[in-house]
Amino acid sequence: GPPCWALAAGQHAFLGALPASEHGKIRCNFPYDRPGAGILEVALWRASLNNIRQYATSRSGAFARTHRPAVLAMLSKADRTLLLAGSCGIELLNNLHLPDGALRSVFVFAYGPVARRRPACPHEIVGSRRDRISRLAFPSPDAWVDADHLGYLASERVLSRCTELLERLRSE
């Protein structure tokens, strides 16, 4: 199947619109260690199946053993890391069972999350009343926007919230 780490066009555009230096942006999806993955367009049915499979397999011990080193290496490269987590991103992060020390420098900006619990680090959860998938997991997000489950990154409100968060983190 297609590589699951490549960015979709909407992810690429959203990341490009954030006011941060280009060298600080990791332009690939989890597990963040596949540079040069580029942009990938995947059929919705295939992306959905890949997402369900990744969510399910993330609950195994093998998942954490396999992916924890790459994520820890990525986090060690910066004093602070803003993780953008869509859909099952929080679940993947939680299931890595990262040491508390690694999470001290992490802030998660989650949009339309599907997870069993909030992350064990500072975070902001953005949801939408139109997103029935995420509302099942997070019926009371920190902020509401108008988007369906696949439309968060096209929302100007999501971009402005993430930009405000980035500016707030820089001033701390």
Side-chain angles (χ1 to χ4, degrees):
C4 63
W5 55 85
L7 295 178
Q11 292 172 307
H12 191 73
F14 186 86
L15 195 56
L18 288 176
S21 67
E22 195 56 38
H23 81 274
K25 296 176 183 179
I26 297 177
R27 290 196 177 267
C28 59
N29 283 312
F30 175 86
Y32 319 116
D33 63 347
R34 309 290 194 312
I39 299 174
L40 183 68
E41 292 303 324
V42 178
L44 179 58
W45 67 268
R46 178 175 226 128
S48 297
L49 287 176
N50 287 342
N51 210 24
I52 290 166
R53 179 185 45 77
Q54 194 171 39
Y55 182 98
T57 60
S58 77
R59 295 174 75 174
S60 74
F63 174 84
R65 286 189 301 277
T66 299
H67 297 296
R68 187 184 304 121
V71 173
L72 288 171
M74 185 264 308
L75 294 176
S76 73
K77 293 178 183 176
D79 294 333
R80 285 199 93 167
T81 302
L82 174 63
L83 285 179
L84 305 179
S87 196
C88 68
I90 291 176
E91 186 71 13
L92 302 182
L93 178 65
N94 288 341
N95 292 340
L96 288 172
H97 306 291
L98 297 176
D100 291 340
L103 292 175
R104 281 192 204 112
S105 66
V106 174
F107 195 105
V108 173
F109 181 78
Y111 49 92
V114 179
R116 293 175 292 158
R117 67 184 190 288
R118 289 177 176 259
C121 60
H123 58 274
E124 178 173 328
I125 293 179
V126 177
S128 171
R129 288 176 180 85
R130 292 188 340 180
D131 180 358
R132 293 181 181 148
I133 298 168
S134 180
R135 275 192 10 228
L136 290 172
F138 294 98
S140 301
D142 302 316
W144 291 104
V145 298
D146 184 31
D148 60 29
H149 191 66
L150 299 176
Y152 284 92
L153 296 185
S155 164
E156 285 295 321
R157 186 66 186 130
V158 172
L159 179 60
S160 68
R161 286 200 70 88
C162 192
T163 298
E164 292 165 13
L165 172 61
L166 213 81
E167 291 169 359
R168 194 170 72 236
L169 292 174
R170 281 191 189 129
S171 68
E172 291 179 356

